Amino acid sequence: AFEGKIETDGHLIIGREAVVSADITAGEVSVSGIVNGRIKASQKIELYKKSKTSGDVIAPDLSIESGAIFNGTCIMEDKN
C-alpha cells in the first residue's frame, strides 16, 4: 500500500495488486488496482476491469472498462 502524493509528467501504471491512497498528477494514469484519491491527468486516465477507484478524476480523455468500479466525479478538460 502507498499513501501520500504522486506527481509525474509520464505514464503512471497502478498494478492489479496495488493499493494507493494518494492525490495523483500525471501525464497518463492506468489503474488496474485500487486507488483512493484524486487523479488528474494531462492526457488520459484508463480504469481497467476489476479496478476500484474512489475519488474525482480530471482528464481530457477517460476510458472505463466494463467491470471497473468508479465512485466519484469526472471533470473532462481540453488537452493543453
Side-chain angles (χ1 to χ4, degrees), residues 28-70:
E28 293 182 35
V29 180
S30 298
V31 180
S32 295
I34 298 171
V35 175
N36 296 303
R38 188 184 79 139
I39 303 174
K40 182 171 183 176
S42 60
Q43 298 298 315
K44 69 179 174 179
I45 298 172
E46 300 168 309
L47 306 179
Y48 292 111
K49 65 181 176 183
K50 298 187 180 177
S51 69
K52 294 180 182 177
T53 304
S54 297
D56 297 341
V57 296
I58 303 164
D61 187 1
L62 172 66
S63 100
I64 303 175
E65 202 171 60
S66 179
I69 296 172
F70 169 58

Side-chain angles (χ1 to χ4, degrees), residues 3 5 17 23 28 47:
E3 292 185 27
K5 192 173 187 177
E17 302 298 319
D23 286 338
E28 293 182 35
L47 306 179

Side-chain angles (χ1 to χ4, degrees), residues 42-43 60 77-80:
S42 60
Q43 298 298 315
E77 301 175 333
D78 289 335
K79 288 184 182 178
N80 294 338

